[in-house]
Amino acid sequence: MEGKLETPFQMENTKVWIAGHRGLVGGAIAKRLSRENCTIVTIDRDELDLRDQVGVKKWLEKEKPSIIILAAAKVGGIVANSTQPADFLYDNLVIETNIIKAAHEIEVKKLLFLGSSCIYPRDAKQPMVEEELLTGPLEKTNESYAIAKIAGLKMCEAFRTQYGCDFISAQPTNLYGEGDKFDPEMGHVIPALMVKAHKGKLNNYSKLNVWGSGTPKREFLYIHDLADALVHLLKNYSGKSHINIGTGEEFSIKQLAEKICDVVGFQGELVFDTTKPDGSPRKLVNNSRLAELGWNSKTSLDEGLAKTYKWYLDNVS
Ligand code: GFB
């Protein structure tokens, strides 16, 4: 396979910058990297705004990490994406542009850019192989986010082609887990439904409001599986193509809502609010390339949901 390394890339004694360490993805990567013999560097948002080009360059020139994991992004669920398209496009484009360009200038050894399965066309053939990129129109509800992520992965490709930089990109499916944003309006479906079901249980509500028709299908990847896959990619891959990361399993939103009610212990009825958008009908990725590199996901949705709810109870509710 193109890009598969015969000798693994050495992470031992390297300095790794996790851009976005406070987020769902960045937090899980920090935890996973604590098992590698490397030094992690981070900087908080109030000390460095990643949209500030000069500030990013100065910080990188001072720290000189040899690896960058670009997990910083403006993210949110379907309503956040469709109501704030300017912020999703601008913030994400400028963050990735600043970091990727400066990474080249300070000659980092390796950079890993995080994208999302929403880069693929709305009606892409399922499960979506990497070559489905740019073969058709995008899903409208997250077009801005997708365009920014496509630009980021193309930037990694372009810096590799023109300057020989070892920049790779990963496109994970819908993520969830400890450290997520449990916001019922702006969050993704799992944390949003968990909060709603939890409040419903506490208040003895008879109904749970589920957005859309309940028929769209999604592939959900547990955040600690993602972090493990990213470290695997860093060590074993150095190619031009982006790489999908998923579980190979999809569930309808109705099935997901039922599972969340079970985990939470909410016994009311599901009510589907079709005034809210469904988004893409399906977003299942083909994981063959990642499997060829030797990685498969481990955590079932049931297990991941139980761990996530426990974390929510201990840390948020
Ligand atoms: O997770 P989600 O917001 O994002 O929604 P997308 C997934 C599905 O769950 C949609 C339904 O069909 C929603 O209508 N849903 C049901 C809900 N109830 C709820 C609820 O209470 N909250 C939310 N949020 N959804 C995202 C993109 O799309 O995919 C992101 O917006 C990112 O940018 C991510 O790319 C991977 O899967 O539709």
Side-chain angles (χ1 to χ4, degrees), residues 74-82 88 115-119 139 141-142 145-146 149 172-175 183-194 196 209-218 220 253 256-257 272-273 276-280 283:
K74 177 169 176 64
V75 295
I78 194 164
V79 163
N81 269 266
S82 45
F88 274 83
S116 155
S117 59
C118 68
I119 57 165
E139 157 61 30
T141 52
N142 55 31
Y145 184 72
K149 290 295 178 183
T173 52
N174 289 49
L175 304 169
D183 180 330
E185 293 306 313
M186 294 300 168
H188 288 104
V189 59
I190 290 182
L193 286 182
M194 223 170 240
K196 290 196 259 182
N209 189 289
V210 181
W211 293 354
S213 62
T215 58
K217 290 183 174 168
R218 293 289 182 272
F220 296 104
I253 296 303
L256 172 74
F272 294 94
D273 176 1
K276 287 285 197 297
D278 266 344
S280 292
K283 277 200 281 191

Side-chain angles (χ1 to χ4, degrees), residues 177-229:
E178 296 90 335
D180 212 339
K181 238 191 270 171
F182 286 79
D183 180 330
E185 293 306 313
M186 294 300 168
H188 288 104
V189 59
I190 290 182
L193 286 182
M194 223 170 240
V195 174
K196 290 196 259 182
H198 179 73
K199 299 251 154 79
K201 180 177 78 171
L202 296 186
N203 296 299
N204 275 323
Y205 293 156
S206 58
K207 294 185 167 113
L208 175 70
N209 189 289
V210 181
W211 293 354
S213 62
T215 58
K217 290 183 174 168
R218 293 289 182 272
E219 182 184 10
F220 296 104
L221 179 65
Y222 184 52
I223 198 64
H224 296 298
D225 281 1
L226 171 78
D228 193 56

